[in-house]
C-alpha cells in the first residue's frame, strides 16, 4: 500500500509532463568527452570522432540545428607565453565528418541561436566566426550572451580601478541586425542599457559590483537574469543574482548565490529557479537552498527542507523540479565521508517531496537535466563531487526505468540535441 501511495504522489507531481508522448533515447544525440577524446552517441551507437588524445575543459555544444558541433581543446603554448596554453576552437560537421579549427585561442564560445555562426571572446574583444573567417564586433566586453532572435548581444563591461576608486560595471546591447561582416565602427551599434550601482545589497549582504555575467533571458523575453560579483576570490564565496527588464528600466536584486550553480528559468513562465546561499562547497554542505522567484511580483518560495543542502536542479515542467540533495554536513578531506546526493522530485503546488533515485553505497547522483523532447530525466552517477567522470543515467521523471545511458563520461562535459 505504501508503494502505491508513493507512486500516486509522484504522478500528481509530474502529471503535466506525462501528457507528452513517450519516446526513445535514440531520438537524442549526445556529444561527450571520455578519456581525452570527443565522442558522439547517435541512434544509441557510440562513435569516437577524435584521433589524438587532448585536454577538454569545456563541454561540446550542438549547433541550433544539430548539424555541427563546437568543441574546445587545450594546446601547449600561446602568443603571449610559449610556456602557457591556448584554447583552440573547433567545429565538427556531423554529415561530412570533417573537423575545422576556427580560432587559435578563444574562450566563452557560443553558437548563434538561429544560424551556424559562433561568437567568442579573445581578450576583451567580442568576435563572430562564420566558420571561414572571424569578425570583430565590440571591444571591452567582459561577458555576453546572444539575444534570443540572434540579431545581437547583451554584454557587460567590468569596473576598472582609478585614482578616485572603482568605476561602474555597465550592461550594453549590441546589434548585428545590419550584418556583422562589415562593421567598421565598433561602437556604432552599441547602446548602454543599464549602469549597475557600485555596491549591490540584499538584506545584510553586500557585494561590490565589479563584474556582471551569466546572462539568461526569460521565456517571454521580457527579463534578463545575470550574476554580479566582485573579485574572483570573493566571487567564490558570494555573488548576487539580479534581474533587469529588457528595456533597462527595472532592476531587481534577487538573492545571494555562489558561482557553482547556474540559475534557470522555467520552460514557459517567468519563474526563476536558483540555489541561494553563501560560502563555497569546500566550506561545508550547508546554506544551499533551492528557491523559485516569480517575476515581476518577486514572490519567492524556498523548496529546501531544514538540515538539507542542494547541489543542482532541473525544471521538469512549470510547476515541478528535480534536485540533487544531500544532508547538511561539514566538508571532509576524506571523499568517503562526504555526503552522497540523491534525486528528489519537488512541486510548487504540492508540499510532498519524493526521493526518486537510490544510488549504491559510495556513489551519488549529480547534475540532473530534464529532456522535454523525450520526457526523460538524466543525471551523472559518480563517486564524489570532484570526480572527473561517472556514468550518465536516464529514467522517467518518476525515477522508473532507470538505466545507464553512457558509461565513463566526463563530469559535466556533455551536451544533448535536442535539449528542449
Amino acid at each position: 500500500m505504501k508503494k502505491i501511495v508513493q507512486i500516486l504522489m509522484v504522478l500528481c507531481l509530474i502529471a503535466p509532463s506525462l501528457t507528452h508522448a513517450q519516446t526513445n533515447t535514440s531520438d537524442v544525440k549526445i556529444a561527450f568527452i571520455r578519456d581525452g577524446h570527443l565522442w558522439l552517441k547517435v541512434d544509441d551507437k557510440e562513435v569516437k570522432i577524435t584521433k589524438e588524445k587532448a585536454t577538454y575543459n569545456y563541454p561540446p555544444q550542438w549547433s541550433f540545428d544539430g548539424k555541427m558541433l563546437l568543441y574546445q581543446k587545450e594546446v601547449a603554448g600561446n602568443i603571449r607565453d610559449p610556456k602557457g596554453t591556448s584554447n583552440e576552437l573547433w567545429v565538427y560537421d556531423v554529415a561530412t565528418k570533417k573537423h575545422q579549427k576556427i580560432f587559435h585561442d578563444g574562450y566563452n564560445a557560443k553558437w548563434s541561436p538561429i544560424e551556424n555562426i559562433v561568437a567568442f571572446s579573445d581578450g576583451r574583444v567580442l568576435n563572430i566566426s562564420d566558420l571561414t573567417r572571424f569578425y570583430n564586433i565590440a571591444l571591452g566586453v567582459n561577458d555576453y550572451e546572444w539575444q534570443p532572435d540572434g540579431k545581437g548581444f547583451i554584454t557587460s563591461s567590468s569596473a576598472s580601478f582609478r585614482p578616485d576608486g572603482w568605476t561602474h560595471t555597465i550592461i550594453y546591447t549590441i546589434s548585428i541586425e545590419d550584418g556583422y561582416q562589415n562593421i567598421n565602427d565598433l561602437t556604432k551599434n552599441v547602446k548602454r542599457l543599464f549602469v549597475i550601482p557600485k555596491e549591490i545589497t540584499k538584506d545584510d549582504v553586500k557585494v561590490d559590483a565589479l563584474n556582471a555575467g551569466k546572462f539568461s533571458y526569460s521565456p517571454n523575453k521580457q527579463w534578463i537574469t545575470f550574476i554580479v560579483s566582485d573579485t574572483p576570490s570573493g566571487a567564490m564565496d558570494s555573488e548576487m543574482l539580479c534581474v533587469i527588464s529588457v528595456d533597462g528600466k527595472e532592476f531587481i536584486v534577487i538573492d545571494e548565490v555562489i558561482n557553482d550553480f547556474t540559475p534557470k528559468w522555467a520552460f514557459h513562465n517567468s519563474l526563476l529557479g536558483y540555489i541561494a546561499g553563501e560560502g563555497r562547497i569546500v566550506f561545508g554542505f550547508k546554506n544551499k537552498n533551492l528557491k523559485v522567484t516569480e517575476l515581476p511580483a518577486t514572490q519567492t518560495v524556498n523548496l529546501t527542507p531544514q538540515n538539507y543542502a542542494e547541489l543542482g536542479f532541473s525544471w521538469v515542467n512549470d510547476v515541478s523540479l528535480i534536485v540533487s540533495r544531500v544532508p547538511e554536513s561539514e566538508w571532509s578531506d576524506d571523499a568517503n565521508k562526504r555526503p552522497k546526493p540523491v534525486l528528489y522530485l519537488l512541486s510548487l503546488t504540492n508540499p510532498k517531496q519524493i526521493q526518486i533515485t537510490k544510488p549504491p553505497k559510495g556513489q551519488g547522483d549529480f547534475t540532473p537535466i530534464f529532456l522535454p523532447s523525450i520526457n526523460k530525466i538524466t543525471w551523472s552517477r559518480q563517486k564524489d563531487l570532484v570526480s572527473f567522470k561517472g556514468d550518465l543515467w536516464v529514467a522517467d521523471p518518476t525515477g522508473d526505468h532507470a538505466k545507464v545511458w553512457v558509461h565513463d563520461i566526463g563530469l559535466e562535459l556533455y551536451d544533448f540535441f535536442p535539449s528542449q
Side-chain angles (χ1 to χ4, degrees):
M1 177 63 71
K2 182 178 179 181
K3 179 65 175 178
I4 294 175
V5 171
Q6 186 181 62
I7 291 174
L8 290 175
M9 288 180 178
V10 172
L11 292 176
C12 289
L13 288 178
I14 62 169
S17 59
L18 290 182
T19 60
H20 298 293
Q22 297 292 324
T23 49
N24 197 290
T25 54
S26 62
D27 295 327
V28 171
K29 297 185 289 188
I30 312 175
F32 62 96
I33 306 300
R34 176 195 285 153
D35 297 330
H37 289 279
L38 180 61
W39 293 70
L40 296 183
K41 187 161 189 174
V42 180
D43 294 328
D44 283 335
K45 296 180 181 179
E46 294 184 5
V47 180
K48 183 168 65 176
I49 63 173
T50 54
K51 296 181 180 180
E52 298 180 358
K53 195 171 184 178
T55 298
Y56 299 90
N57 297 316
Y58 304 96
Q61 301 176 43
W62 289 103
S63 59
F64 84 103
D65 57 5
K67 295 180 179 180
M68 293 187 172
L69 194 66
L70 169 68
Y71 64 95
Q72 308 172 56
K73 66 179 181 180
E74 181 181 295
V75 297
N78 60 52
I79 295 175
R80 302 173 187 85
D81 180 9
K83 295 182 180 180
T85 60
S86 296
N87 189 57
E88 292 183 344
L89 307 181
W90 288 75
V91 167
Y92 175 76
D93 188 308
V94 177
T96 65
K97 299 182 180 181
K98 292 183 178 180
H99 297 262
Q100 179 183 358
K101 184 168 73 172
I102 63 171
F103 201 71
H104 62 280
D105 192 10
Y107 65 97
N108 205 14
K110 302 172 185 179
W111 285 108
S112 162
I114 63 169
E115 57 183 319
N116 287 337
I117 60 175
V118 177
F120 65 94
S121 296
D122 174 21
R124 296 287 180 174
V125 182
L126 177 63
N127 307 281
I128 289 178
S129 170
D130 63 3
L131 312 188
T132 301
R133 55 170 296 186
F134 71 92
Y135 305 85
N136 299 142
I137 303 301
L139 306 175
V141 173
N142 174 54
D143 198 7
Y144 75 94
E145 185 54 76
W146 284 94
Q147 295 174 356
D149 61 5
K151 296 180 180 180
F153 302 93
I154 182 81
T155 70
S156 65
S157 66
S158 297
S160 59
F161 193 67
R162 295 178 177 174
D164 59 348
W166 287 97
T167 62
H168 287 270
T169 296
I170 303 174
I171 297 178
Y172 300 88
T173 61
I174 301 174
S175 174
I176 59 169
E177 194 165 2
D178 295 331
Y180 60 86
Q181 297 90 341
N182 299 302
I183 299 179
N184 296 319
D185 183 350
L186 298 183
T187 64
K188 179 181 179 181
N189 299 319
V190 179
K191 293 183 178 180
R192 182 177 293 193
L193 181 67
F194 186 74
V195 178
I196 300 176
K198 290 185 178 181
E199 187 177 78
I200 302 297
T201 303
K202 182 68 175 181
D203 298 328
D204 59 348
V205 179
K206 296 181 180 180
V207 172
D208 292 328
L210 306 185
N211 300 285
K214 298 183 180 179
F215 298 100
S216 178
Y217 283 81
S218 63
N220 65 5
K221 316 298 188 295
Q222 296 303 304
W223 301 96
I224 307 167
T225 181
F226 59 96
I227 303 293
V228 171
S229 60
D230 54 15
T231 63
S233 177
M236 293 293 291
D237 296 318
S238 180
E239 300 180 321
M240 205 66 81
L241 173 61
C242 301
V243 172
I244 191 172
S245 58
V246 291
D247 59 8
K249 294 181 179 180
E250 294 186 67
F251 171 68
I252 305 169
V253 180
I254 300 295
D255 213 331
E256 182 185 19
V257 295
I258 62 172
N259 66 4
D260 293 288
F261 310 115
T262 301
K264 300 172 186 177
W265 292 99
F267 293 109
H268 304 103
N269 298 331
S270 294
L271 297 172
L272 179 62
Y274 62 94
I275 297 178
E278 52 84 24
R280 62 194 83 176
I281 289 294
V282 293
F283 292 161
F285 297 88
K286 51 189 177 182
N287 301 322
K288 307 293 181 289
N289 296 321
L290 176 64
K291 296 183 179 181
V292 173
T293 294
E294 180 185 10
L295 292 164
T298 65
Q299 295 178 340
T300 300
V301 58
N302 183 1
L303 297 172
T304 303
Q306 289 186 347
N307 304 318
Y308 285 90
E310 317 290 19
L311 300 183
F313 76 98
S314 177
W315 288 94
V316 176
N317 52 50
D318 288 333
V319 296
S320 303
L321 307 94
I322 288 178
V323 301
S324 174
R325 175 177 292 170
V326 295
E328 281 192 338
S329 70
E330 298 296 331
W331 176 265
S332 174
D333 290 335
D334 184 349
N336 294 322
K337 295 181 179 179
R338 297 173 199 152
K340 304 299 187 287
V342 298
L343 300 188
Y344 281 80
L345 179 64
L346 321 180
S347 174
L348 300 178
T349 59
N350 190 319
K352 297 294 183 180
Q353 301 190 0
I354 309 300
Q355 181 178 337
I356 62 171
T357 64
K358 293 182 179 180
K361 184 178 180 180
Q363 293 188 313
D365 291 337
F366 299 80
T367 323
I369 299 175
F370 180 71
L371 299 177
S373 61
I374 57 172
N375 194 35
K376 301 289 185 182
I377 184 70
T378 73
W379 69 92
S380 175
R381 179 165 289 178
Q382 57 204 59
K383 293 182 179 180
D384 190 61
L385 178 69
V386 294
S387 299
F388 292 107
K389 63 181 179 179
D391 292 333
L392 180 68
W393 282 67
V394 62
D396 297 336
T398 58
D400 293 329
H401 306 114
K403 65 178 182 180
V404 178
W405 200 357
V406 181
H407 287 282
D408 296 330
I409 197 168
L411 177 59
E412 297 187 20
L413 294 177
Y414 49 89
D415 192 29
F416 303 98
F417 183 84
S419 59
Q420 297 292 333

